[in-house]
Amino acid sequence: MTEPSPLPGDPSELHLRISYDDGLWDTPQADTLGCWNVAVLHRRRAHGEHHEPVSSSGCTTADCSSCTVEDVVVGSMMFYRVHLDRGRNAYWAMEEESEELYETAQVLLDPETGSFADEVSEQLEYVGSALLVMNRVTLDPPWRGHGLAAVLACEVITRLMARCRAVACSPGITDLSSHRLTARAEWDRVNAKIAQGWESLGFRPYRDNVYLLSPASQDLEEQRGALRRHLAELGGSWRAGAS
């Protein structure tokens, strides 16, 4: 088993930039699908000509002239809000948008009506009508292995899930560039770890690798506090090591 590498910077300085992508405005699914892109940014404070990263307390003065601050993109996410009660049939709108969305639609939606299939609807409380799909979550390799994807995704879900009846995801490896994942056992181990991360937020396996989270559940809010504490602990450990 591969141990995670030390973090490349203070994780407390990670923050999110959430933006609505209006690229579907002139398509038939414009009223049915909404896309949000999320940039994961690290606010890096560097000192001296070699730009060595330091903690926010690493300089003798707050306005140290040798320090520079910049936001560096270290990851990204993509979410879709699917409106089941307006525009075209949501099942076919998802089919037309991408293969990943279509696979989710096949599991959760009725192709005739575009609404939740009866067996899915029976498991969900009526807290909204839309479906939020966590389509992709990616962090740069140096930031992986510390549970940060779950920490950050939790914050995005909390912001976007209003008026949604369910949140869905399909856990799995999205970055296929890692050569160490050529062994099947390692591939399965990493996939299982990813699934465990989403289960920690309250996602539960439904069928065919589609996981569901109910916005009405208290799991997400309870875990949000625990994840924020985890982030604070990681930040404290990094700053202690950098001092």
Side-chain angles (χ1 to χ4, degrees):
M1 181 180 298
T2 304
E3 293 296 325
S5 302
L7 285 165
D10 185 352
S12 301
E13 296 292 343
L14 291 170
H15 57 288
L16 303 167
R17 184 175 64 219
I18 304 173
S19 57
Y20 178 71
D21 184 345
D22 200 25
L24 298 172
W25 71 272
D26 60 347
T27 68
Q29 54 264 37
D31 291 333
T32 307
L33 300 180
C35 179
W36 274 261
N37 289 315
V38 182
V40 181
L41 304 169
H42 182 248
R43 184 154 294 157
R44 186 173 64 183
R45 185 180 178 91
H47 182 85
E49 59 179 329
H50 299 296
H51 300 289
E52 293 294 332
V54 296
S55 66
S56 57
S57 59
C59 294
T60 56
T61 61
D63 57 350
C64 175
S65 60
S66 298
C67 282
T68 58
V69 178
E70 59 179 343
D71 286 341
V72 180
V73 177
V74 298
S76 64
M77 307 184 206
M78 179 182 287
F79 285 76
Y80 283 91
R81 187 196 296 269
V82 186
H83 298 280
L84 308 185
D85 57 355
R86 74 185 197 203
R88 64 179 301 196
N89 182 307
Y91 182 97
W92 299 112
M94 294 172 73
E95 184 270 342
E96 188 167 325
E97 178 63 16
S98 73
E99 181 179 351
E100 292 83 2
L101 285 181
Y102 182 43
E103 290 173 353
T104 300
Q106 288 178 301
V107 173
L108 300 180
L109 304 186
D110 182 335
E112 295 296 326
T113 65
S115 300
F116 286 111
D118 290 342
E119 60 271 24
V120 178
S121 184
E122 291 172 358
Q123 300 189 28
L124 301 172
E125 296 187 41
Y126 287 93
V127 293
S129 59
L131 168 66
L132 182 66
V133 180
M134 185 169 67
N135 193 61
R136 185 186 70 243
V137 178
T138 303
L139 289 178
D140 289 352
W143 294 93
R144 298 174 190 170
H146 299 272
L148 290 170
V151 173
L152 299 167
C154 180
E155 296 297 329
V156 180
I157 291 170
T158 301
R159 287 162 172 75
L160 297 182
M161 71 179 187
R163 298 182 298 281
C164 288
R165 194 176 176 195
V167 185
C169 73
S170 298
I173 298 169
T174 56
D175 181 2
L176 304 180
S177 63
S178 178
H179 297 297
R180 70 181 180 84
L181 296 179
T182 54
R184 179 57 184 266
E186 182 67 3
W187 178 278
D188 291 342
R189 185 193 70 80
V190 174
N191 270 322
K193 187 174 181 180
I194 292 171
Q196 289 173 1
W198 301 140
E199 287 178 0
S200 73
L201 299 185
F203 282 98
R204 296 294 178 262
Y206 176 66
R207 179 163 57 84
D208 296 342
N209 199 44
V210 173
Y211 283 54
L212 283 177
L213 167 67
S214 170
S217 169
Q218 292 300 310
D219 290 345
L220 184 66
E221 190 58 35
E222 292 173 358
Q223 287 302 315
R224 190 183 187 193
L227 290 169
R228 285 182 167 183
R229 289 191 294 273
H230 174 62
L231 179 62
E233 291 169 359
L234 287 175
S237 297
W238 188 90
R239 289 188 295 274
S243 60

